[in-house]
Amino acid sequence: MDSCCEQNMSNIARCSLKHRKGSKMHFGEVCIQTNDVIKLADFYRSILNINSDCSDEVHQFIITEGTTLTVYNDGSSRRHNQDPNISLAFTVDDVDAEYERLLKLGVHIIDAPKLQPWGAKNMHFCDPDGNHIYFRSLPKQPA
């Protein structure tokens, strides 16, 4: 790891973020808007290994613990379902095992797992609407 990355990791470890006095807010939801809720919800359930029998064509919850992940169709037409301003990163225990699992699901991998200069190991692919997704394993912190 170069000195710049070491400094960034050190800064992240030292940062202490606190709510302003009288303010209590947390990040609650990421909602992916699409023209095809069923197709996108099924994709996310398969890559995240989640079972559900939901068939709502307008709004579906994918993850409900912590920060919520939902898929939604607000009725507006989206050109090719593409929004180049979003990428999602999921932290996983073993990115290499997830890589093999996603290959078996037929997911097109853009970048195979690769160790990054800051210590994370990332892989990159897209969902059916073209949103960029990263699965990453973070370096183990010493006990």
Side-chain angles (χ1 to χ4, degrees), residues 60-106:
Q60 291 195 31
F61 285 91
I62 309 302
I63 297 174
T64 58
E65 296 175 10
T67 301
T68 303
L69 175 63
T70 61
V71 179
Y72 176 61
N73 181 347
D74 66 1
S76 63
S77 178
R78 285 176 180 61
R79 189 174 157 241
H80 307 296
N81 276 326
Q82 298 218 357
D83 183 353
N85 297 317
I86 187 170
S87 64
L88 301 171
F90 296 93
T91 301
V92 298
D93 290 330
D94 183 347
V95 73
D96 294 309
E98 291 298 326
Y99 171 73
E100 294 299 329
R101 187 178 68 81
L102 294 184
L103 285 176
K104 289 177 185 171
L105 290 173

Side-chain angles (χ1 to χ4, degrees), residues 2-138:
D2 67 30
S3 62
C4 177
C5 289
E6 286 173 359
Q7 183 64 38
N8 285 340
M9 292 298 283
S10 175
N11 287 343
I12 291 169
R14 286 184 295 128
C15 287
S16 174
L17 303 176
K18 296 180 183 174
H19 290 283
R20 293 183 180 144
K21 202 172 205 168
S23 170
K24 188 70 174 174
M25 185 182 301
H26 69 278
F27 189 75
E29 178 179 355
V30 172
C31 180
I32 304 169
Q33 295 190 350
T34 183
N35 290 330
D36 192 340
V37 169
I38 301 291
K39 179 179 179 180
L40 207 57
D42 286 348
F43 174 81
Y44 277 95
R45 284 195 191 92
S46 70
I47 68 163
L48 298 174
N49 233 1
I50 296 171
N51 292 320
S52 172
D53 59 358
C54 184
S55 59
D56 190 319
E57 295 180 358
V58 176
H59 186 262
Q60 291 195 31
F61 285 91
I62 309 302
I63 297 174
T64 58
E65 296 175 10
T67 301
T68 303
L69 175 63
T70 61
V71 179
Y72 176 61
N73 181 347
D74 66 1
S76 63
S77 178
R78 285 176 180 61
R79 189 174 157 241
H80 307 296
N81 276 326
Q82 298 218 357
D83 183 353
N85 297 317
I86 187 170
S87 64
L88 301 171
F90 296 93
T91 301
V92 298
D93 290 330
D94 183 347
V95 73
D96 294 309
E98 291 298 326
Y99 171 73
E100 294 299 329
R101 187 178 68 81
L102 294 184
L103 285 176
K104 289 177 185 171
L105 290 173
V107 174
H108 172 72
I109 306 297
I110 295 169
D111 295 313
K114 178 181 175 187
L115 189 61
Q116 302 299 321
W118 54 90
K121 191 171 191 181
N122 294 356
M123 69 180 225
H124 172 210
F125 56 99
C126 288
D127 71 16
D129 283 359
N131 297 305
H132 294 266
I133 304 169
Y134 296 86
F135 275 11
R136 64 184 180 193
S137 293
L138 300 174

